[in-house]
Structure formats: structure tokens, C-alpha cells
Amino acid sequence: MATANPVGIGIVGTGFGQKIHIPGFQRHQRTEVRAVYHRDLSKAQAIADQYDIPAAYASIEALLADPRIDAVSISTPPFLRYDFAKQAILAGKPVLFEKPLNLNAGQTKELYHLAAQQGVVTVVDFEFRFVPSWQLLAEYLQQGAIGTPRLIKIDWLAGSRANPQRGWNWYAQKDKGGGALGAIGSHAFDYIAWLFGPIKRLCAQLSTSIPERPDAGGVMRPVDADDTCNFLMELKGGIPCQMNLSSVAYAARGHWVEIYGDHGTLVLGSSNPNDYVHGFSLLFAPAGEALQPVPVPERLEFPEVYADGRLAPFIRVCDRFVESVDAEESLTPSLTEGVYSQLLMDLTHESHANQRWVEVPDLETYLSAI
């Protein structure tokens, strides 16, 4: 049987891209990293040399013109993603996006329509959809194990930015796409929609607990990006959902999703403060019984795990990306799901600014509106 052709990948973004995207694509059986972009050519070349990548570019146009590049992975800071993605789509290159995709839903919606017009495949790295314990939770919910949810409670509390001496950079700047909402809220909004369906309305409060941080020269610079987010939401069917997100919590509890239904309870959680993928376990209790751990079946387990827990689910995202390229169709999670996550983040800012509940439009209606 003939072996399918490898997909040549161009890497755009060398922070998270260097940590996860390059090693992930290099481990995948159908992808080859053939070029890397950095605005500083010497840095691009150094990364290319380190990872044995054939080409290094300081021009996105040159990378896209390279005939060896079949598809592009974009993991730059959020404020750069729109322009790079637009150029890639116009060049006809399939795109794998990091989240948050852009600075606002308008940009993401534009890219969604442009990709549809150009017939370009897109996939988004919403990696919780590919983590075994999360997939098992989805199966239990689909099977109706706890009946109709009465309350959903989400706590994602981390201490990665709890130290006020952690340096000032784009993450500290709202207009650059920084903050906990974009970093982890984008994931949470996607898995809420995946697991429970659409959100009808929400009310949110954003906080900036650490108002300034030192830049590379030690000068204190203002921080206006959020580091703590609190939500009340009403989901489809009137189900209430509470969510608390923070990146500045010392001795943080970790990441927990609790679902209380009329026939029982499911709890998915991890107390691992250093890795937001490793350490999840699922607990289940039929009505009137105590919570008990549920083992993940072998069919859902990763074939291989790595020191950095993000790598194994990212390789599954690469699977989905290659499947999409082969099928010439954007498979879930694509820009469709990316638009919804970005829309919910925009509505969060609107709710916070106006101190009120906001209604969430139907996604299909939003996408079709001019």
C-alpha cells in the first residue's frame, strides 16, 4: 500500500511554537517541519539549526512562497496572528491556530469567511478535546450518566503569574491579547460548548490584581490585562454555570469541573500546578452514592506521554490537522469553534465594562450577519 505524502509545515511563532509545535510536528508520522519564521533572521536560523529544520526566514512572504511548505502553524502572540493567518489563507495554505486566535471576534469571523472563500482548511489547538480523561467525561455526559445537569462549577486556578516580579511583556497588555481570559478562558469557553452546548447569556467581572511589573530593564510598567475572571452563565436549557479563572493564585487548587445532575455527579480535576494537562482524573457518583474514581479505558489513552503534558494532546491535534488536509475539509475544532470562543471573550469584556448580563447570539446567526 502506498504511503501518504508527508505534509510540509512552516512554523510561525517561536515561543510556544518552539516548546510544543516544533516537537509535536516532528514527532508526528505524517508531518515534516521544513521552515521556521522569526522577524530576526539570526534567531530563526538558530532555531532551525537547533531542531534540524531546513529553512529559516525573516519574511512571512518568503516562507509562504517556499514550495516545500504545504501548511502553516501559527503560535505567535495574539496581536500578530490575524495578519499572518490572513496572508497564509490568501496563499492557500492550511492553518493550525493557537488560541486565542486574534484580538477580537470580528477578526476571527473575517478569517472564517476568507478561509471558506479560499477553500482553505483550518484547525484550532483546543487540546482538552483530545485529553483522555476529558474524552471520558464527554462520553459519560453523552450517555446521560448523571441525567440533566442542575449546576456546573468550573475552577481553573493557577499561580503562574502570582509573583509580581514576573516580567512585563505582551501578556500584561490588554491590547496585545494578554491576560488569563485569552490564555485559559479561551479553552474553557470551547470545552463548555463541546461538553454542554451553547451559552445563552453571561455576566462577568475581570480583575487585574498586580497593576505593574518590571520590564527587561527593571522599569516598572503598567499592567492592564486581566489576571482573574469570574463568571455567571446560563447554558442551553437554563442550566446555571459558575466559573472562576485566575493566574495569580498561590498554592492554587488547580483545574476542576464539577457537574451536579438530577441522577448523579461527575467531577473532573487536576491539582497539578505545573502542567495543565497532566494529572486529570474523573470521579463519578450515582445519586445517593459517594464519588469513586473512573479508570480511563485503554482505547482513549495516549500511545505515548511526555514530560510536558501539552505535547501528547497537541500531537492528536496534528492528527486532526492532517485528516483535515487529506479530506480538504476543516474538521472540528476549526475556525467555527474559534469564532465562538473569541465571541464569548468579547462578550465577557462587554459584560465587565457595562456591569450587566449580556445575551450570547446563536453562532450560526452571528456568522451569517454582515
Side-chain angles (χ1 to χ4, degrees), residues 167-182:
W168 182 90
N169 58 11
W170 68 265
Y171 190 102
Q173 302 172 69
K174 180 180 177 181
D175 65 356
K176 295 290 194 294
L181 179 63

Side-chain angles (χ1 to χ4, degrees), residues 101 108 112 122 124 126 190 330 332-342 363-364 367:
L101 282 82
T108 315
Y112 165 86
T122 63
V124 181
F126 285 133
D190 178 67
S330 298
T332 303
S334 69
L335 268 179
T336 303
E337 289 71 33
V339 169
Y340 193 60
S341 174
Q342 198 75 45
L363 178 58
E364 185 174 343
L367 286 171

Side-chain angles (χ1 to χ4, degrees), residues 39 44 51 74 83 129 168 172 178 188 190 233 247 270 285 298 351:
R39 66 182 183 276
Y51 291 94
I74 298 179
D83 287 334
R129 292 172 178 258
W168 182 90
D190 178 67
M233 291 173 275
S247 61
S270 171
E298 185 176 353
S351 173

Side-chain angles (χ1 to χ4, degrees), residues 53-314:
I53 299 170
Y57 293 108
S59 160
I60 187 67
E61 293 83 4
L63 182 144
L64 294 171
D66 187 331
R68 295 169 295 182
I69 302 305
D70 302 310
V72 175
S73 163
I74 298 179
S75 58
T76 63
F79 67 97
L80 297 172
R81 290 177 190 164
Y82 168 79
D83 287 334
F84 287 143
K86 187 172 183 177
Q87 291 182 70
I89 291 169
L90 288 172
K93 306 294 185 182
V95 179
L96 189 150
F97 288 84
E98 263 308 322
K99 34 54 53 197
L101 282 82
N102 309 114
L103 293 180
N104 57 67
Q107 290 183 336
T108 315
K109 180 179 176 180
E110 181 185 338
L111 294 177
Y112 165 86
H113 287 296
L114 183 63
Q117 292 163 7
Q118 298 291 319
V120 170
V121 163
T122 63
V123 166
V124 181
D125 184 21
F126 285 133
E127 57 200 342
F128 287 101
R129 292 172 178 258
F130 301 92
V131 176
S133 52
W134 287 76
Q135 293 175 327
L136 184 60
L137 171 62
E139 289 185 1
Y140 266 64
L141 290 169
Q142 290 162 5
Q143 293 162 7
I146 61 167
T148 301
R150 293 172 171 171
L151 171 67
I152 299 163
K153 188 173 186 299
I154 299 168
D155 290 314
W156 190 348
L157 310 176
S160 59
R161 302 188 67 81
N163 184 348
Q165 294 305 305
R166 181 161 181 178
W168 182 90
N169 58 11
W170 68 265
Y171 190 102
Q173 302 172 69
K174 180 180 177 181
D175 65 356
K176 295 290 194 294
L181 179 63
I184 61 178
S186 55
H187 273 306
F189 282 140
D190 178 67
Y191 72 62
I192 289 171
W194 166 47
L195 294 171
F196 308 112
I199 297 170
K200 291 179 60 179
R201 62 185 188 132
L202 63 81
C203 182
Q205 179 188 28
L206 304 176
S207 303
T208 303
S209 306
I210 299 174
E212 58 181 14
R213 292 182 182 273
D215 65 14
V219 177
M220 300 304 292
R221 302 288 294 273
V223 175
D224 63 357
D226 58 88
D227 53 38
T228 300
C229 318
N230 304 103
F231 298 84
L232 293 175
M233 291 173 275
E234 180 186 349
L235 309 187
K236 183 180 179 180
I239 299 168
C241 178
Q242 303 171 5
M243 182 165 70
N244 302 295
L245 311 174
S246 181
S247 61
V248 291
Y250 284 120
R253 180 172 178 244
H255 190 176
W256 294 83
V257 180
E258 305 168 29
I259 310 110
Y260 300 95
D262 58 4
H263 291 163
T265 296
L266 283 162
V267 175
L268 176 69
S270 171
S271 297
N272 188 335
N274 301 315
D275 190 318
Y276 66 75
V277 172
H278 276 158
F280 279 101
S281 59
L282 181 65
L283 305 173
F284 170 57
E289 299 184 23
L291 285 167
Q292 297 293 334
V294 182
V296 175
E298 185 176 353
R299 61 183 170 81
L300 295 179
E301 289 284 18
F302 293 124
E304 186 175 355
V305 294
Y306 305 90
D308 190 322
R310 299 170 295 185
L311 194 51
F314 179 75

